[in-house]
Amino acid sequence: MAKIQNADLKEMKGVSERDIKMIADAETLLGPEPSEMGVVKNFFWGNLREELLFPYPEMDRVSADERRECDELVAKLKVYLKEEHPAVEIDQEEYIPEWVLKKLFDFGVLGMTIPKEFGGLGMGITSYNRVLETLGSRCGSTAVLVSAHQSIGCKALMLYGTDDQKKEYLPKLAREWLSAFCLSEPQVGCDAGGQETTITLTEDGEHYIVNGEKKWATSGAIAGLFTVMGVQKIDGKDRVTALILTPDMEGVDIFSKNRSKMCIRGTWQARIRFNNVKVPKKNLLHKEGKGLGLALTCLNYGRCTLSAGMLGGAKTAMDQSIKWSQTRHQFGRPISDFELVQQKIAKMSAYCYAMDSMLYMTTGMLDRHDADIMLETATCKVFCSEMGWRTVDNALQIMGGEGTMAENELERIFRDSRINTIVEGANEVMQSFIFAYGGKQLAEKMLGIKDMADNKKFTPTMIKAALPLGREVFLGIRNKAPSMTKLHPSLSPYGARMCRLISELTYQFKVISKKKDAAIVTAQVTQARLADAALYLHGWACTLSRLDMDLRNNESGTEFERNKASAIHFFDLAELAIHDAFRGLHENADDTMLTAAKAALTHSSTLENNLFAIPESSPSDKGTGRELKQDHIKQFPGTGLEDAGSTGREHMSETIEQLN
């Protein structure tokens, strides 16, 4: 019996050459499909992998010793953050003092996930994210510094390093050195595959020569180790390779230690040039040409720790604003009496419980090494950054003008939160990724059936697959919804509602894919609606699993009652948002949006570039923008590496004195 061959999306009629290349680049970027599909990808097929969601991955899945050690560390950190940590100073002075870094190293925070044999604490991802959430509750800058060091800066070394590389570097990274992840460039942001930094193997095969420039390297000016990505010619093709570099190597030029910015002001993002840097071959990470997969794997961890920091800040903002609403009186009563304020309080509480549920579901999946995790980490990042931002925005609105006052510290959380929808993959890019990667295999199967029908290959296998697809697409008959068997009986109605929406997602995906045909490849607004539906479904599933655990653990008290009510409210909010997304597929303002955007772009083209800031490395308009005045902005002179081989931190205090 002839098997249905999944069609190649690049061969769809009507797909432009530019889009064919984009699809090909994405396929190279992502690599082969994993052997099994995870939770979110199954949603697109109308399926539910209940065994990956239930039971909720509790902390007691880790060893009792690790849980105890993590509890002690979190408790110690809470005292330190409350009594000693200079969060306001860090934000205002735009640096994290050396004594703070030393304290974090001494606590073991900066070596939490590094194995004990190399001087770290050897803890898992869930424990690590608990600490990141704790840090984020008080200081976004410190949370980002810790995350950048461990989640991406030295993560590649931990995952892919040789035994000799680990022995040489991990002890220093656990107790002494910071590390930096050098992926982004002036022309490389979310397009991680577009590396312009070059890596060339010498003729004798003993060294690599690195040339290029990196941007946004957090802690780059004060790091002892860089993980550097660059493009290497392999068999005539450009492939990304990853190397270990150190700042003392000849040709490493840290020409900008940091730039003053709106948020996470205590972190330093370096700009680094590599001028014919000679790197020993033993510093190769993983394999030649495998650097992109390595980078994406590291980002899976970074997207969780970003979410943890955001969750910590959001919870702090929520708690502060709720207490404010109960003690701030207007019109003869506390403002918490007013329904519109209560609406914001309920949303904040629902968002925070759902964020918490999704974050620790995702870390549990990472700790147990699930095979297909890329969509789950991307969804976690988008969900937590967006819901966290909404929470902080609502909190600021409740506090009103006082919320914008520096001494209340909410305005700092507000500023720090804003960056999270941009970094680790801008949310708009992540929406298209969730759609494309989530629906790719289903789309290929649908296209394969269509190709067989067009070529009149009506085999029994093809007919068996085509009939249910045609029933959905042409007759509007939805497939049977999946069911839940592991759910607490009292939660069955919420599970059934979610399952019906999963069935609706696969139906809507198939219908809109047929309707748009090749245009779906570039219809990002349509893609985002389906991605948002999947995102809310995953939030629903994680929250349901978490509430199921709470019920089975016989939780009680006001905190549990708040969490239960918040979860149920989130289910309603999620269902409304999912229905809005589905309705938007068919009833929308997309046509007038595109017309208005085109008109605005046309008008902008008539304005002189010299009136505006223009990207420094724009391939079309480089050097044509207005001169950016920086006289009034704090500068960060020097390299941070006054001594060869130094991490730069030894001279932090005298450098800060110069800045002031």
Side-chain angles (χ1 to χ4, degrees):
M1 190 177 291
K3 183 180 178 181
I4 297 174
Q5 295 295 322
N6 287 356
D8 190 335
L9 295 178
K10 299 188 295 297
E11 296 178 1
M12 287 178 65
K13 294 178 181 178
V15 179
S16 69
E17 288 296 323
R18 184 171 66 172
D19 292 332
I20 289 173
K21 183 180 184 305
M22 180 182 70
I23 295 171
D25 289 345
E27 289 174 343
T28 301
L29 183 73
L30 297 171
E33 294 282 355
S35 57
E36 59 180 86
M37 293 189 290
V39 172
V40 178
K41 201 175 292 183
N42 265 280
F43 288 160
F44 285 89
W45 289 77
N47 298 330
L48 176 66
R49 288 202 65 183
E50 194 177 12
E51 76 280 6
L52 296 181
L53 294 164
F54 295 90
Y56 190 83
E58 295 182 77
M59 266 296 290
D60 60 13
R61 285 193 172 192
V62 304
S63 69
D65 286 344
E66 179 177 328
R67 182 164 190 171
R68 175 182 50 77
E69 290 173 12
C70 187
D71 286 345
E72 291 173 356
L73 179 56
V74 168
K76 189 189 302 183
L77 271 177
K78 286 181 177 178
V79 173
Y80 160 72
L81 290 169
K82 180 180 179 181
E83 298 181 357
E84 296 183 62
H85 189 70
V88 174
E89 176 190 342
I90 285 170
D91 180 67
Q92 293 181 346
E93 299 299 325
E94 301 183 52
Y95 81 105
I96 298 176
E98 168 65 16
W99 71 264
V100 172
L101 298 178
K102 186 176 186 305
K103 180 83 72 171
L104 294 173
F105 273 118
D106 290 345
F107 281 156
V109 167
L110 286 163
M112 272 198 75
T113 59
I114 294 174
K116 290 184 177 181
E117 63 186 289
F118 300 113
L121 299 184
M123 292 191 186
I125 306 305
T126 298
S127 299
Y128 175 45
N129 276 269
R130 287 183 64 201
V131 167
L132 263 295
E133 180 189 341
T134 303
L135 291 171
S137 70
R138 177 65 178 148
C139 182
S141 290
T142 303
V144 169
L145 177 135
V146 173
S147 173
H149 168 61
Q150 249 173 129
S151 300
I152 53 177
C154 62
K155 194 66 182 182
L157 174 61
M158 292 166 59
L159 292 173
Y160 299 102
T162 64
D163 289 342
D164 287 343
Q165 289 171 345
K166 292 177 181 178
K167 289 175 184 176
E168 181 175 0
Y169 294 114
L170 285 183
K172 289 185 178 294
L173 294 168
R175 295 294 179 185
E176 182 181 352
W177 285 3
L178 292 175
S179 57
F181 191 64
C182 300
L183 177 67
S184 297
E185 302 182 0
Q187 279 296 104
V188 176
C190 294
D191 181 13
Q195 298 288 309
E196 294 181 350
T197 294
T198 60
I199 294 175
T200 307
L201 189 64
T202 56
E203 289 187 6
D204 62 9
E206 295 299 318
H207 293 83
Y208 296 100
I209 305 299
V210 182
N211 283 283
E213 180 180 326
K214 293 297 179 179
K215 190 177 182 181
W216 309 123
T218 297
S219 301
I222 53 174
L225 178 142
F226 305 144
T227 299
V228 179
M229 311 294 163
V231 67
Q232 180 184 7
K233 284 285 185 187
I234 299 177
D235 297 328
K237 296 181 179 180
D238 288 342
R239 295 286 184 262
V240 176
T241 292
L243 301 175
I244 297 170
L245 275 70
T246 53
D248 59 320
M249 291 179 172
E250 186 176 353
V252 174
D253 176 18
I254 301 174
F255 67 96
S256 172
K257 286 192 296 189
N258 188 34
R259 292 161 66 195
S260 192
K261 52 191 174 294
M262 176 187 81
C263 50
I264 54 170
R265 286 158 59 86
T267 62
W268 283 16
Q269 283 73 39
R271 300 184 66 182
I272 308 171
R273 289 194 188 102
F274 303 112
N275 301 305
N276 292 316
V277 181
K278 192 174 184 180
V279 183
K281 180 133 187 220
K282 67 183 180 67
N283 283 29
L284 172 68
L285 273 169
H286 196 26
K287 299 177 182 177
E288 291 183 342
K290 299 295 184 181
L292 207 49
L294 173 150
L296 292 175
T297 299
C298 291
L299 289 173
N300 283 335
Y301 296 90
R303 285 167 181 157
C304 281
T305 49
L306 176 151
S307 300
M310 179 73 260
L311 175 61
K315 284 182 176 179
T316 297
M318 174 185 70
D319 290 342
Q320 169 60 63
S321 65
I322 293 176
K323 183 60 70 175
W324 187 274
S325 76
Q326 293 173 304
T327 54
R328 164 68 166 163
H329 287 66
Q330 288 287 278
F331 307 104
R333 66 182 75 177
I335 62 173
S336 60
D337 279 4
F338 296 103
E339 196 172 73
L340 285 174
V341 174
Q342 292 175 10
Q343 182 187 47
K344 289 178 172 56
I345 291 171
K347 283 184 176 180
M348 290 191 300
S349 192
Y351 292 154
C352 282
Y353 187 75
M355 289 164 60
D356 195 301
S357 301
M358 185 183 289
L359 170 63
Y360 292 109
M361 175 68 77
T362 310
T363 63
M365 290 174 171
L366 285 167
D367 273 333
R368 72 190 184 202
H369 308 293
D370 282 12
D372 188 15
I373 194 67
M374 199 174 290
L375 273 182
E376 285 66 30
T377 58
T379 298
C380 184
K381 185 270 172 182
V382 177
F383 186 86
C384 290
S385 63
E386 178 60 34
M387 301 306 153
W389 169 249
R390 293 183 192 181
T391 297
V392 177
D393 187 48
N394 279 325
L396 190 68
Q397 187 70 20
I398 288 173
M399 287 190 66
E402 281 291 339
T404 68
M405 298 296 106
E407 65 265 27
N408 289 316
E409 300 190 39
L410 185 58
E411 60 85 27
R412 188 180 75 245
I413 299 175
F414 182 84
R415 287 186 283 106
D416 286 347
S417 298
R418 188 60 186 86
I419 194 65
N420 291 325
T421 62
I422 299 170
V423 295
E424 303 284 6
N427 283 4
E428 294 81 5
V429 175
M430 290 292 96
Q431 284 172 311
S432 288
F433 169 67
I434 291 167
F435 164 83
Y437 193 52
K440 181 174 181 288
Q441 288 170 288
L442 176 56
E444 288 172 340
K445 180 182 177 182
M446 290 169 60
L447 193 57
I449 293 172
K450 181 178 182 296
D451 286 348
M452 291 186 75
D454 290 345
N455 293 303
K456 297 182 171 51
K457 295 181 179 179
F458 297 105
T459 65
T461 302
M462 179 270 184
I463 293 171
K464 184 178 179 180
L467 284 176
L469 178 62
R471 186 179 60 195
E472 278 191 277
V473 172
F474 295 106
L475 300 179
I477 301 174
R478 279 68 163 170
N479 286 336
K480 183 181 178 182
S483 60
M484 288 189 175
T485 62
K486 303 177 183 293
L487 196 57
H488 190 281
S490 68
L491 299 178
S492 293
Y494 306 108
R497 282 166 58 190
M498 190 191 90
C499 287
R500 287 194 294 271
L501 289 168
I502 292 173
S503 179
E504 188 67 17
L505 173 62
T506 191
Y507 168 76
Q508 295 290 347
F509 178 90
K510 293 165 186 172
V511 168
I512 204 68
S513 294
K514 176 187 179 298
K515 178 180 178 180
K516 289 206 172 271
D517 199 33
I520 194 70
V521 173
T522 55
Q524 289 190 320
V525 177
T526 297
Q527 295 173 7
R529 292 181 180 116
L530 289 164
D532 285 348
L535 180 145
Y536 274 105
L537 279 169
H538 190 48
W540 190 323
C542 296
T543 303
L544 194 60
S545 178
R546 172 71 176 277
L547 183 57
D548 174 83
M549 177 190 74
D550 289 348
L551 288 169
R552 293 181 189 279
N553 288 345
N554 296 313
E555 298 286 349
S556 61
T558 59
E559 184 176 2
F560 166 71
E561 294 300 331
R562 180 200 66 180
N563 291 345
K564 181 180 177 182
S566 298
I568 292 170
H569 185 47
F570 177 74
F571 300 150
D572 284 349
L573 292 174
E575 186 163 17
L576 289 170
I578 292 167
H579 283 310
D580 282 346
F582 291 156
R583 184 170 59 251
L585 295 172
H586 311 286
E587 300 175 16
N588 53 62
D590 292 357
D591 290 342
T592 53
M593 175 273 291
L594 292 170
T595 301
K598 183 178 179 180
L601 289 165
T602 299
H603 173 66
S604 178
S605 297
T606 68
L607 306 178
E608 294 295 330
N609 282 4
N610 59 20
L611 298 174
F612 305 95
I614 298 295
E616 60 182 316
S617 296
S618 170
S620 58
D621 297 271
K622 180 180 178 179
T624 63
R626 68 176 174 85
E627 182 182 355
L628 302 180
K629 303 293 185 181
Q630 299 190 51
D631 297 343
H632 60 296
I633 300 172
K634 178 181 281 191
Q635 300 298 307
F636 299 80
T639 65
L641 301 171
E642 288 77 5
D643 291 341
S646 161
T647 64
R649 296 201 316 277
E650 294 90 329
H651 303 278
M652 178 79 79
S653 58
E654 63 187 63
T655 301
I656 295 302
E657 287 180 9
Q658 295 170 10
L659 295 178
N660 292 331

